[in-house]
Amino acid sequence: QVQLVESGGGLVQAGGSLRLSCVGSGRSMRTYAMAWFRQGPGKEREYVGGFSRTGGYTYYADSVKGRFTVSRDNAKNTMYLQMTSLKPEDTAVYFCAADERIITSSLRLRSQYDYWGQGIQVTVSS
């Protein structure tokens, strides 16, 4: 059974930066697709960015392109989300997700991920 735990959230001023981490346990995440999602107040959970199963492709939501960067360290079973130039609209609970069967065309679909972290709050003040 895979468990995912996020860390690194908090309160930051607009224009600032944060780095989130997602540590996997129970299995090697090396062959898993991994992704970050977020859910703002009163909003649906949306895809932010992530990797295909092979790690050969990375994808980002249009709203974060050029500001957020995903990376992973397979040796540490960890995925990161580096967030820069943060905006108040980035305020949300951020979740990491993983799945070992998901196909590339479905990477943005939250319903396709079997494993989820508990989420971590990121608040950007104006």
Side-chain angles (χ1 to χ4, degrees):
Q1 185 76 1
V2 171
Q3 291 186 325
L4 303 172
V5 178
E6 303 96 339
S7 63
L11 174 64
V12 63
Q13 288 189 331
S17 300
L18 276 177
R19 189 178 80 156
L20 304 183
S21 300
C22 171
V23 179
S25 62
R27 292 184 183 175
S28 169
M29 307 306 296
R30 189 178 300 271
T31 58
Y32 281 64
M34 297 187 74
W36 290 98
F37 287 78
R38 67 184 182 185
Q39 188 165 12
K43 297 181 180 179
E44 298 209 351
R45 194 171 299 187
E46 64 174 357
Y47 179 85
V48 175
F51 295 90
S52 61
R53 283 188 294 125
T54 64
Y57 296 95
T58 56
Y59 298 88
Y60 296 94
D62 289 343
S63 58
V64 306
K65 278 181 183 176
R67 299 188 299 121
F68 290 11
T69 304
V70 293
S71 60
R72 64 193 295 175
D73 184 338
N74 288 331
K76 295 182 178 179
N77 239 22
T78 300
M79 177 178 64
Y80 303 97
L81 179 66
Q82 180 67 51
M83 304 184 290
T84 63
S85 301
L86 283 160
K87 305 174 181 179
E89 51 263 44
D90 295 317
T91 294
V93 178
Y94 284 71
F95 299 87
C96 69
D99 195 274
E100 62 178 337
R101 297 186 300 268
I102 193 170
I103 60 176
T104 301
S105 60
S106 298
L107 287 173
R108 290 180 173 85
L109 301 178
R110 66 174 189 250
S111 63
Q112 299 299 303
Y113 289 85
D114 281 344
Y115 303 106
W116 290 85
Q118 80 286 356
I120 193 161
Q121 179 70 45
V122 171
T123 302
V124 184
S125 63
S126 56

